[in-house]
Amino acid sequence: MNTNKVWFVTGASKGLGLSLVKKLLANNYRVAATSRTISALKQNIPNFSDSFLPLEMDITNDENVKASIEKVIDHFGQIDIIVNNAGYSQTGTLEELSDKEVKQNFEVNVFGLLNVIRHSTPYLRKQRSGHIFNISSIGGFVANFPGFGIYCSTKFAVAGLSESLAEELKSFQVNTKPGQFYSMLLWLQNTR
């Protein structure tokens, strides 16, 4: 894959997102990475270069997401690969979770991802190329995990909107890959 491509990775300060960002930077890709706090990114990726743009972003704030995408365009001149990785697992039985806990899990896992899609796809459609990876979970395909009903329902939503998005963007040569993190890494490995 052409290392001039620009990756935009949400939820990049720890876990899978951080691992991906480190791998991309080690292979000379240009990367914009987001976290709720920029200090978390700076702490975990201390050697900055022009090919790395750390961004503090609240994925649940539509205007903040829009401003972050615009910063990527201003810095790199383009955006090519979106990795919607930000999210969290809300645990608790369905009857014990509060309305606030349920809504917050949907705000982050579904509507936050949708905010990124809304503000990045106009650039991908205009350039008639790109990829979107919406990181899901096995919980987005089967929900037989007691105590994870709300989390699973958010991931089912991600799978459904990803399938529809793939059809909406197909004629613009933008590929959408719903699925788990390992499927994205396999795709990355096979496109080198």
Side-chain angles (χ1 to χ4, degrees), residues 9-15 17-19 21-22 25 33-48 52-57:
V9 182
T10 68
S13 63
K14 60 184 177 181
L18 178 60
S19 296
V21 168
K22 286 181 174 180
L25 291 172
T34 75
S35 176
R36 287 174 290 179
T37 63
I38 202 155
S39 61
L41 289 169
K42 290 180 178 180
Q43 178 182 355
N44 291 308
I45 306 170
N47 299 323
F48 282 33
F52 180 60
L53 177 64
L55 296 165
E56 189 168 304
M57 186 180 84

Side-chain angles (χ1 to χ4, degrees), residues 36-147:
R36 287 174 290 179
T37 63
I38 202 155
S39 61
L41 289 169
K42 290 180 178 180
Q43 178 182 355
N44 291 308
I45 306 170
N47 299 323
F48 282 33
S49 69
D50 288 340
S51 43
F52 180 60
L53 177 64
L55 296 165
E56 189 168 304
M57 186 180 84
D58 176 358
I59 199 162
T60 66
N61 181 315
D62 190 57
E63 287 302 313
N64 187 236
V65 171
K66 180 181 180 186
S68 296
I69 298 284
E70 289 170 354
K71 287 177 186 175
V72 175
I73 300 300
D74 290 344
H75 185 81
F76 291 117
Q78 66 192 63
I79 192 167
D80 300 289
I81 302 162
I82 310 296
V83 181
N84 278 311
N85 175 64
Y88 71 98
S89 178
Q90 177 65 61
T91 58
T93 62
L94 294 173
E95 77 273 7
E96 74 181 352
L97 290 173
S98 70
D99 197 44
K100 182 179 179 182
E101 289 170 315
V102 171
K103 287 179 178 177
Q104 184 59 30
N105 204 213
F106 272 88
E107 280 295 324
V108 172
N109 292 4
V110 180
F111 298 114
L113 174 141
L114 191 54
N115 288 338
V116 173
I117 289 169
R118 257 193 223 108
H119 295 296
S120 61
T121 52
Y123 296 103
L124 301 177
R125 279 196 318 270
K126 184 177 179 185
Q127 66 195 28
R128 300 189 67 76
S129 68
H131 297 275
I132 299 173
F133 292 96
N134 293 324
I135 304 303
S136 186
S137 164
I138 190 67
F141 301 100
V142 295
N144 57 347
F145 305 104

